Amino acid sequence: MAASQSDTPKTAPFVLLWKQMRGFRGKYAWAIAALFLFTAINYVAPLVASATIDFALSGKPDDSRPITWIIGLMGGADFVRERLWFPALLMVLLTVIAGGFSYLKGRFAAEASDGIARRLKDRLYDHLQRLPARYHDRAETGDLIQRCTSDVETLRMALAAQVVEVSNAVLLLLTALPVMVMLDGRMTLVSFALVVPIILFGYIYIGKVKHLFAEVAESEGQVTRVVQENLTGLRVVRAFARQDFEIDKFAAPNKLYRDRSLKLLHLMAWYWSASDLIVVTQQGIVLFTGACFISQGSLTVGTLFAFLMFLNMLLWPVRQMGRTLTDLGKSVVALNRMGEILSEPEESVPAGFVRPSSPAAGKIEVRDLVFGHGEENAAINGISFTVEPGETLAILGPSGSGKSTIMHLLLRLYDHTSGSIRFDGRELTELDRQWVRSQFSVVMQEPFLFSKTIGDNIRLGRGGAEAEQIHEAALLADIHDTIKGFPSGYSTLVGERGITLSGGQRQRVALARALLQDTPVLMLDDALSAVDAETEATILEALRSRHGRRTTLVIAHRLSTLAHADKVIVLEKGRIIQHGTHAELAAREGLYRRLWTIQNALENEMSQDTAP
């Protein structure tokens, strides 16, 4: 199930954005101030040109017009007429100054948008670490990656450019209108004849494409998911010669993404073409009407020139409103997708949660435990057992019997539906999750190694561990000699998910990591399934030498792994069907004895087959 399908109430996108802008709003204020000065200077340059044309080349026009203010600031009509280089130089200087303010505008906006994007990525990553396991069970990894990278980048680009562009369009409109009215009211009406239709056209356009943004983002997430899944399982794909199948599987979401993107691009192309036609028509109307007024003697050439320059500056950002609205629409969709993640509640912390100050002894008491992953039959159905500090409990059962689920419940990856789990006499749900997990060392059924050195992967168990402590843990896990045999030893880099190591090597590195952590409870979830019998015997002997130092829970299918346990429980369909010691269960009729008989027979047969 995609992450977006959660029923959790979503954070309003602009509320989310406003919160993330804390500390950067001042930079946006400076960007808008620089934009205001940039706009004002840009409007002075056409007035300088208009004044020069009317006063220096065509004779002095009506004194009531604002052009006379500009000519007065330049030293008067005679001064300008005798020194035509001066207004040209002044326009160049004004352009340079305007360029400086444009640079400041872009710099402040870029610094603010980059800071907000970084904060959002940090917030999303931090939040994902704290979401409950149930959320990650239904979320798609590729889609989450898409939301934390591409969606954030979409928002960053919109904040860097489009927020300022909206301010630019508003300032241009507010600045241009009074100046143009002062120059000539008739031409102002003509100049704005098609501006309102352009704005309405952009508004209608964004309404039509808004749903396409979400569809394109969703289909891009599907492409990312397929690529991520394929690369993760690349060895499996090649082992089963499924390359062609995977290529075909990728082609479907890729085609859907292509089709939706093309649909969006076609609509955008239609908008740009139509808006270009409207803009050119508006300029033609102004030029034609101005020429008629000049021929009648009611308008000067300089004023028409100013109107054409004002119109060019005004129509471009107005025309850009379509693109601005497009990018803003994408950013709203991106904000909604990020908001869906951030609206998911983190793992709850009860108001009165307990965080004991001393390390745990490691006593575990389970009573009438019930748990289910959904409305289906319960994965755990009324089991009870007790593990005293320092004891070893072995758990056996067929696939789907609930073995790993017990581990997940003890780690509070999930909370049980009913019953009780007490840890050192305290109810587990009343204890702080982080403290609970700090008391357990775990080797998962599928050990995960990071794309770092072997030493760094083992050190994950205890960040400040010295080299001698790492070597000691590796010796207990029977991996030290193997690591020393690598050209770079403990500095050997392992591939993503430890792919450059064999399955048995990965399990032993993960075991060394857990042993280095040295917590009150050690949990091994089928942790020796990929090692050979001789290596398993060496590891078990090392673990037996530490018997009584920590509580140990062992899940395994190979009964030789369970033989040294103080207690053994056998699960079937979420219930305990047998319990006792290895000797008791091997002598008693039941599932354990049948498995023990079968495995012994197989081992004897293999020994005979391999005997010289």
Side-chain angles (χ1 to χ4, degrees), residues 412-464:
R412 291 203 65 191
L413 296 177
Y414 307 95
D415 283 334
H416 51 277
T417 307
S418 65
S420 171
I421 302 177
R422 299 183 70 83
F423 187 59
D424 278 7
R426 293 189 177 97
E427 189 64 36
L428 197 66
T429 53
E430 296 176 359
L431 296 170
D432 175 47
R433 279 188 173 87
Q434 295 304 315
W435 182 86
V436 169
R437 292 165 188 170
S438 69
Q439 306 304 305
F440 288 80
S441 301
V442 186
V443 182
M444 296 290 188
Q445 191 171 10
E446 297 179 5
F448 184 94
L449 300 184
F450 292 90
S451 185
K452 295 182 178 182
T453 66
I454 294 176
D456 287 339
N457 272 285
I458 297 176
R459 190 178 285 110
L460 184 69
R462 194 195 307 173

Side-chain angles (χ1 to χ4, degrees), residues 2 4 10 143 146-147 150-151 154 206-223 256-257 260-261 263-264 325-338 340:
S4 59
K10 303 177 183 64
D143 185 63
Q146 184 77 16
R147 294 174 190 232
S150 180
D151 285 351
T154 296
I206 193 64
K208 289 183 174 294
V209 300
K210 187 175 181 180
H211 70 281
L212 285 177
F213 301 147
E215 291 179 357
V216 170
E218 179 186 345
S219 56
E220 187 177 2
Q222 292 175 5
V223 171
L256 179 64
Y257 174 60
R260 289 178 174 177
S261 297
K263 186 177 180 180
L264 180 61
L325 291 172
T326 298
D327 290 344
L328 288 178
K330 291 179 181 178
S331 66
V332 170
V333 171
L335 269 172
N336 277 322
R337 283 163 55 82
M338 288 182 277
E340 288 172 354

Side-chain angles (χ1 to χ4, degrees), residues 497-529:
R497 302 173 66 91
I499 199 69
T500 55
L501 301 180
S502 70
Q505 290 170 345
R506 287 199 299 273
Q507 283 192 334
R508 284 180 284 161
V509 169
L511 178 59
R513 179 170 64 194
L515 293 172
L516 178 64
Q517 194 173 358
D518 197 24
T519 57
V521 182
L522 173 65
M523 298 198 303
L524 307 178
D525 187 357
D526 212 10
L528 303 178
S529 59

